[in-house]
Amino acid sequence: MLNFIKNKTNLSILIFYFIFSFSSLLFILLAEYNNNKTPTLFLKQFVFYLIGFGIIYLLQKIPITYIEKFSIAFYLFALVLLVGIFLVPPTLAPIVNGARSWYNFRLFTLQPSEFSKIATVAMVSMLIKEKSFKENTDTIKLLKIALIISIPFVLDLKENDLGNNGLFFIFLFLGLVFLVCNKGKTLFRIYSVVIAGLAIIILAALYFPRLLSLVGLKSYQLNRILSWLNPEAYKLDYSYQITQVLNEVKLGGLTGTFVKNKNYIDEQFNDFI
């Protein structure tokens, strides 16, 4: 354990790990204290962080060659979990907030998309390390990466989970474009297409919403885009949560406050913490 901590790479990871752990635990504890609740979420998260530290310690003891060997199996296992969401009965994978993306095993819940994130990164890492991959053209490189990323991305879309998980795969691909491309022209073309696509979606949402519905965008997804562009116009429904949180942040200021929330917030114990 001491040698593990003394390693400079491990030490830098641990410093960030404990900074984020301490800050998140503090915010969760204050949120529960502020609402006169028993600190169950704090204790639960504390246990998860201890388990996470144990996993980090065990993984660094496994030779990287072993991890590479199991990357394909782990990736396929993650895909099986994602597909299984659509095959199991609703009691085992219920719809929550419009998305069917969790397994409910009574004693604990499991979100397969979280496994798919790690598995996809491991799979892509194994790919780009290969000598044969480095000898490919930029186009072939991106096609191979896109194939690996697109499968879990499409399955996440089918789960109606385009939020954090869908965006993760999009930004993963864009980051890898910068990492693996050798030609500046390829980078410019890819990023130009992305920027143009975003501009088209925003303009279409504002002026031609029916056009987006024709290409498969659902009404609630369109309203999310519009509420992001103009939160005040949707503060009673689609942007209600975020406008309430922003108002509470204004009251707290930089230093915060121990006073009970003056704005009613539906979901007080989520990513807003």
Side-chain angles (χ1 to χ4, degrees), residues 234-247:
Y234 293 84
K235 63 182 180 180
L236 296 179
D237 40 48
Y238 289 98
S239 63
Y240 176 79
Q241 172 81 0
I242 192 170
T243 51
Q244 293 294 92
V245 169
L246 289 173
N247 289 333

Side-chain angles (χ1 to χ4, degrees), residues 206-225:
L206 290 172
Y207 302 107
F208 308 102
R210 290 185 180 180
L211 184 63
L212 290 178
S213 62
L214 291 176
V215 297
L217 196 71
K218 297 179 181 179
S219 58
Y220 77 90
Q221 293 172 329
L222 174 62
N223 286 324
R224 283 184 181 179
I225 296 173

Side-chain angles (χ1 to χ4, degrees), residues 175-202:
L176 289 168
V177 168
F178 180 80
L179 184 65
V180 305
C181 288
N182 296 320
K183 295 182 179 179
K185 288 183 179 179
T186 306
L187 286 172
F188 177 76
R189 289 170 183 169
I190 295 291
Y191 290 137
S192 295
V193 169
V194 171
I195 293 171
L198 288 174
I200 290 171
I201 291 173
I202 291 172

Side-chain angles (χ1 to χ4, degrees), residues 1-7 10 14 53-54 57 60-61:
M1 176 67 77
L2 188 60
N3 292 331
F4 168 66
I5 296 174
K6 284 182 177 180
N7 182 283
N10 292 338
L14 287 176
F53 176 77
Y57 178 71
Q60 60 86 34
K61 284 186 166 294

